Amino acid sequence: MPVTSDVTRAADGDGDLPINELFYSLQGEGGLAGVPSVFVRTSGCNLRCWFCDSYHTSWDPTHAWMDVDDIVEAVAGYDRADHVVVTGGEPLLHDAVVDLLHELDDRGYHTTVETNGTIHRDAPIDLASVSPKLANSTPTAERDPAGEGEWAERHERDRIDINTLSRLVADYDHQLKFVVTDEADVRDVEDLLVRLRDRARVPIHDDDVLLMPEGATRERLAETRDRVAELALAHGYRYTPRLHVDLWNDAPET
Ligand SMILES: C[S@@+](CC[C@H](N)C(=O)[O-])C[C@H]1O[C@@H](n2cnc3c(N)ncnc32)[C@H](O)[C@@H]1O
Ligand SMILES: Nc1nc2[nH]cc(C(=O)O)c2c(=O)[nH]1
Ligand code: SF4
Ligand SMILES: [Mg+2]
């Protein structure tokens, strides 16, 4: 169901969220991969990964405004699902996401928040699925999908905030899900883990560190996944597939 074609009015209240899509699918990534889930995808991001698989929430944000009650009603319409994944874009940018998470929690849903880890919110989050952005994500002029590297400096400045990451891992059940293509990326992961373990007040288990192959399409994943699986084995981290890409390639609402 393309929400964007259902709701066309502009924002008219504090409880409104910019929604890019809302759909029912299998969780494709991370420790809950395979679980039927409703996805609520907000629009707008404070970063610009060159590889972003949700281009229309970051580089070219598009959305319809929905209030929290309408979102909860749309979620409830998928009566087989008791898991909700709130993603984006960067969902924690928006104040009203906290209200949405409370409403979902009150109704007994398990909530996963997919976040880049640069913003902390106090909210009922059952799983903080944190994907800190490595140096490999920066939109240099050569890799910029929309311009000539205008976002590179801001992206590079903002992509890692150790204090925010340490609060997220301390406050929530978490997984750290890194987009990886090669060995240099894993060195970047290890450097970050040293800094985070030094700062965080809680242990960070290797079991909660996941390597995810970079690839928004089946073709690209076929190039990256074998090497990333080998890196996971070599370093003792978990590998996460991208089930939805295997199953449905880059189709919207999957
Ligand atoms: C689109 S992001 C939205 C949530 C949040 N902004 C973030 O980056 O975590 C959802 C997930 O997709 C991952 N992702 C985005 N583009 C990807 C790509 N081309 N290959 C692999 N993972 C990708 C992100 O790292 C994140 O784990
Ligand atoms: N099926 C499916 N699983 C996902 N897990 C995280 C996603 C995301 O975009 O945050 C995602 C997504 O876009 N689709
Ligand atoms: S942080 Fe997430 S939504 Fe933002 S550009 Fe990167 S992958 Fe896309
Ligand atoms: Mg996705």
Side-chain angles (χ1 to χ4, degrees), residues 23-41 53 81-88 110-115 126-130 175 177 210 212 238 240-248 253-254:
F23 58 94
Y24 179 53
S25 186
L26 299 177
Q27 170 57 285
E29 305 167 13
L32 292 173
V35 176
S37 306
V38 181
F39 290 78
V40 179
R41 189 182 305 285
D53 66 2
D82 53 12
H83 283 61
V84 179
V85 180
V86 179
T87 184
H110 178 284
T111 59
T112 295
V113 173
E114 303 282 352
T115 175
D126 292 307
L127 175 63
S129 177
V130 184
Q175 59 190 14
K177 190 173 55 156
L210 286 67
M212 177 161 71
R238 284 171 71 177
T240 172
R242 287 174 53 77
L243 264 188
H244 49 113
V245 180
D246 292 337
L247 291 167
W248 302 296
E253 303 186 347
T254 60

